Amino acid sequence: MLQLVIATVLFFVMMFGIGFILNMLLKTTFFPIYLFLIVLVPVFIWQTWDNSKTFSGNFTSFTFVDILPGIGALIGAYISGTTIRLLRRGGYKMF
């Protein structure tokens, strides 16, 4: 259980940092969320795919432990976009 909490916080902080840097460099707001949904989620599904199971069997084999760090990463990407947006509204032109 402790490993799950540490992994979720680690993924949150990692996606927040990567998202913040991408948003700052590319002058976008929610690019990391799109990147997460278009690239990382399919890669995770492809990595854990088992050809011996049926299509629905592959998706039902994901557990809470598999999904929670991904949700933490998605929340980190969203909060990085929200932080950038608030900094831009606050007048910081660097962001």
Side-chain angles (χ1 to χ4, degrees):
M1 193 61 160
L2 180 63
Q3 294 171 346
L4 177 63
V5 172
I6 291 172
T8 303
V9 171
L10 180 67
F11 276 60
F12 171 80
V13 170
M14 189 171 55
M15 277 305 291
F16 178 83
I18 292 170
F20 192 85
I21 291 170
L22 281 176
N23 285 330
M24 191 170 55
L25 292 175
L26 298 176
K27 301 288 185 190
T28 61
T29 303
F30 291 107
F31 177 71
I33 292 176
Y34 305 136
L35 182 70
F36 182 82
L37 293 175
I38 293 172
V39 175
L40 294 179
V41 170
V43 165
F44 176 70
I45 291 172
W46 174 75
Q47 179 185 4
T48 59
W49 198 264
D50 186 13
N51 287 333
S52 65
K53 294 183 180 178
T54 62
F55 183 77
S56 62
N58 276 310
F59 283 107
T60 57
S61 66
F62 291 119
T63 62
F64 182 70
V65 175
D66 298 326
I67 295 172
L68 193 63
I71 291 172
L74 186 62
I75 291 170
Y78 176 76
I79 290 180
S80 73
T82 305
T83 304
I84 288 288
R85 187 174 53 191
L86 290 173
L87 286 170
R88 285 185 188 141
R89 286 184 185 167
Y92 293 97
K93 297 190 189 284
M94 182 177 146
F95 303 108

